[in-house]
Amino acid sequence: MNLTFSGADGIIILVVYAVIMLVVGYLAGRGKKLNESLNDYYLAGKNLGIVALFFTLYATQYSGNTVVGYAPNAYREGFSWLQSIPFMTIIVGVYLMFAPRLYAISKRANFITPTDWVTYRFRNKAVTILAIILMLWGLGNYLLEQLVAIGQAASGLTGGTIPYEYAVIGFVFVMLTYEWLGGMKAVAFTDVMQGIVLMIGIIVLLIGALTLTGGGISSLTSDIATTAPEKIGVPDSITSVNWLSMILLVGFGAAIYPHAVQRIYSSQSERTLKRSLSRIALMPPITTGFVLIIGIIGIQLFPDLDTAASEQLVGLMANEVAAINGFYYWTMVILFGGIVAAIVSTADSALLSFSSMVSNDIYGKYINPDAPEKKKVKVGKFAGIGVIALLLWIAWNPPGTLYQIFVLKFELLVQVFPAFVLGLYWKRLAAVPVFWGMLTGAIIAAVMTLTGNSTLLGVHGGVIGLAANFFICTVGSLLIPVNRAKQDEAEERSSMKLEEIKYNEKTGSLG
């Protein structure tokens, strides 16, 4: 992201953001016994109000990488990147389909991590472990994507004064510090600040970019029709199929982001959750829609950029907008500082979720079930440091464009969707078919990706795997004898009830 802002101005803005994050972390954890409770540290005591919940859900779906990565994709693909709006919209639709129901169950059974629901529903160690592996894979990829973006954005904002590697290390240190201090509460409050900055910055960048064109959208499209007609024409059948495939892959995959699911658990009430989601539904046109237009404007302002150069599109455009006047200059500086902070905010959400799954799902369930919660939190914190160290090593040589990294994580994560959502509504869904469905879908997606055949006739390997997954889950469950299914269901209900009774006794609740 090549910017010509003053390096000193960029450094000042980054330092200000870093200090604010650290102060928020300190205030969020002050006087709290966060380190002694999984619920308090990882879920903010399940007490997030509508503003904090809205912005932390917003930050989960829209990071600074949405601006940095999606605009170049719109530049390269043209108007066919319109798909970014519906695939962000379908995520909200899927949320509304399962989130309120899952929230009610999580409140009753005291879930901490997403796979607590899988354990609760299927009572099968193999299903739980496979779901943990797939979700951790998704989180690891997501974290890697954010680390790469942090380095590029911070280095670009400071005009290269802060090298890529130092930028990543510096903000990872800030992230780990405020997350350790304040847990989920600190993460949610920093999301509020960064979400507001990101929204305002995108709007100003769009207005400035339209000013540079000297015309409007109609003259812009006319110009593109003359200079790059392939970017404005009707997509061919393969592109259209790929569009639909991407909508399904992202729509289903992002809805079960582990850190997004934990935000569902963190809501103050079901009413708060529904109100937050209803407002999130307005965000795709405002966020990805505006970023799409920014990318399209780039086709006119910076024609003939190759793939590598187009990855710098937002920085190139911000330089031009900043040159208009002082207001635009400082708004762009603040925006790019906000982009860095928003990427950090998205990374901290994924890291917190990763840590919680290691501490609660792996260590707490299978290594040391009798460990006190204080020790589990400690294990999760150090696991977070370990995974960050590994990903930093990978991030020095980032594998491909940000968009390629973005797609990769969904191929396997989406395989958890049938077990996760279908399990909420279909009582007959059985553990054995769910396991084989998830495993088969994951193998199909992994083999296609590793062999360089990530799509077949435009359909992503993850979607093909998901179709096989659904087929095995549903047909396999239907083939189980009804009497056996009813017996398993009765045993499952009895086991679930016993767990709730134990939890109520432990917490002193009347249930």
Side-chain angles (χ1 to χ4, degrees):
M1 190 185 307
N2 298 318
L3 304 175
T4 57
F5 301 148
S6 164
D9 293 341
I11 291 172
I12 290 170
I13 291 297
L14 290 180
V15 169
V16 169
Y17 277 117
V19 169
I20 291 174
M21 291 182 207
L22 292 173
V23 170
V24 168
Y26 170 75
L27 293 176
R30 187 177 57 176
K32 308 288 184 181
K33 295 183 178 181
L34 293 176
N35 294 329
E36 298 178 8
S37 168
L38 292 171
N39 182 60
D40 288 340
Y41 185 76
Y42 289 119
L43 301 178
K46 299 184 179 179
N47 197 36
L48 291 183
I50 185 169
V51 175
L53 185 62
F54 167 82
F55 278 106
T56 197
L57 282 169
Y58 177 78
T60 299
Q61 302 304 329
Y62 306 94
S63 74
N65 188 44
T66 303
V67 182
V68 176
Y70 283 21
N73 223 65
Y75 175 91
R76 291 189 291 267
E77 296 191 17
F79 279 92
S80 67
W81 187 239
L82 184 67
Q83 62 178 289
S84 60
I85 299 175
F87 74 53
M88 284 298 185
T89 304
I90 198 174
I91 295 171
V92 184
V94 176
Y95 275 153
L96 291 169
M97 180 176 70
F98 79 91
R101 188 180 183 95
L102 179 63
Y103 172 81
I105 299 173
S106 74
K107 199 77 170 178
R108 189 169 67 245
N110 194 39
F111 295 160
I112 300 295
T113 68
T115 53
D116 277 345
W117 158 241
V118 177
T119 301
Y120 179 95
R121 171 64 176 80
F122 295 104
R123 302 293 166 185
N124 185 289
K125 186 180 291 186
V127 173
T128 299
I129 291 174
L130 182 55
I132 290 171
I133 292 171
L134 295 178
M135 285 193 155
L136 287 179
W137 168 264
L139 284 170
N141 263 277
Y142 195 70
L143 269 169
L144 176 60
E145 174 191 354
Q146 304 311 313
L147 293 179
V148 173
I150 288 170
Q152 291 179 348
S155 179
L157 179 59
T158 61
T161 303
I162 300 179
Y164 169 88
E165 293 84 359
Y166 293 166
V168 176
I169 292 174
F171 272 95
V172 162
F173 175 78
V174 171
M175 176 182 71
L176 288 172
T177 301
Y178 76 74
E179 190 171 284
W180 273 51
L181 290 171
M184 168 68 91
K185 194 172 183 181
V187 171
F189 288 165
T190 56
D191 286 346
V192 174
M193 172 192 73
Q194 290 141 12
I196 292 172
V197 171
L198 203 60
M199 284 182 188
I200 295 173
I202 289 173
I203 293 171
V204 174
L205 177 59
L206 176 59
I207 293 171
L210 286 171
T211 301
L212 292 174
T213 65
I217 296 296
S218 58
S219 63
L220 174 66
T221 54
S222 298
D223 181 75
I224 295 173
T226 302
T227 58
E230 72 282 0
K231 295 182 179 181
I232 202 171
V234 177
D236 58 29
S237 58
I238 293 295
T239 302
S240 298
V241 170
N242 185 258
W243 182 352
L244 178 59
S245 174
M246 189 67 181
I247 289 172
L248 294 175
L249 183 68
V250 178
F252 291 164
I256 56 168
Y257 271 154
H259 44 305
V261 172
Q262 286 183 293
R263 275 143 182 76
I264 294 171
Y265 297 166
S266 301
S267 178
Q268 196 173 59
S269 66
E270 187 173 339
R271 181 170 180 265
T272 297
L273 175 63
K274 289 179 177 178
R275 290 174 66 191
S276 296
L277 289 175
S278 67
R279 287 157 178 76
I280 288 289
L282 301 174
M283 292 300 104
I286 296 174
T287 305
T288 50
F290 287 179
V291 171
L292 166 70
I293 298 172
I294 289 169
I296 296 298
I297 292 172
I299 299 172
Q300 183 186 61
L301 296 180
F302 307 98
D304 303 322
L305 296 178
D306 60 22
T307 299
S310 68
E311 284 288 297
Q312 309 298 322
L313 176 68
V314 177
L316 294 170
M317 190 172 295
N319 285 327
E320 298 295 323
V321 170
I324 296 174
N325 57 42
F327 167 78
Y328 278 111
Y329 175 84
W330 280 107
T331 303
M332 290 300 98
V333 173
I334 293 171
L335 167 63
F336 273 85
I339 286 175
V340 176
I343 297 169
V344 173
S345 179
T346 305
D348 65 27
S349 299
L351 179 62
L352 194 71
S353 188
F354 193 103
S355 301
S356 73
M357 293 181 69
V358 172
S359 64
N360 187 66
D361 295 343
I362 297 177
Y363 181 77
K365 289 178 182 175
Y366 301 112
I367 297 177
N368 189 1
D370 297 323
E373 291 198 358
K374 183 177 181 179
K375 188 170 185 179
K376 292 179 184 178
V377 171
K378 188 175 182 179
V379 168
K381 287 183 173 182
F382 282 102
I385 292 177
V387 73
I388 283 293
L390 174 62
L391 293 176
L392 280 175
W393 176 73
I394 298 173
W396 289 168
N397 297 288
T401 68
L402 293 176
Y403 174 68
Q404 289 170 325
I405 301 171
F406 166 77
V407 171
L408 182 62
K409 66 178 175 289
F410 287 112
E411 307 285 353
L412 297 184
L413 177 60
V414 76
Q415 305 308 323
V416 184
F417 183 85
F420 210 90
V421 179
L422 192 59
L424 275 168
Y425 291 94
W426 192 29
K427 293 179 180 179
R428 192 166 172 177
L429 188 66
V432 173
V434 163
F435 172 80
W436 288 110
M438 272 199 297
L439 183 61
T440 302
I443 289 173
I444 290 172
V447 168
M448 289 184 66
T449 299
L450 292 175
T451 58
N453 301 296
S454 58
T455 62
L456 178 64
L457 300 176
V459 181
H460 290 86
V463 174
I464 294 173
L466 182 63
N469 188 348
F470 264 114
F471 178 81
I472 294 169
C473 283
T474 54
V475 174
S477 296
L478 288 172
L479 290 176
I480 295 176
V482 175
N483 291 336
R484 169 68 183 281
K486 287 183 177 180
Q487 180 182 350
D488 290 346
E489 183 184 327
E491 291 176 356
E492 180 183 298
R493 286 181 176 178
S494 176
S495 180
M496 290 179 180
K497 187 63 179 176
L498 179 61
E499 182 173 298
E500 289 179 28
I501 291 172
K502 288 180 179 179
Y503 166 68
N504 290 335
E505 290 175 347
K506 180 179 177 181
T507 59
S509 170
L510 297 177

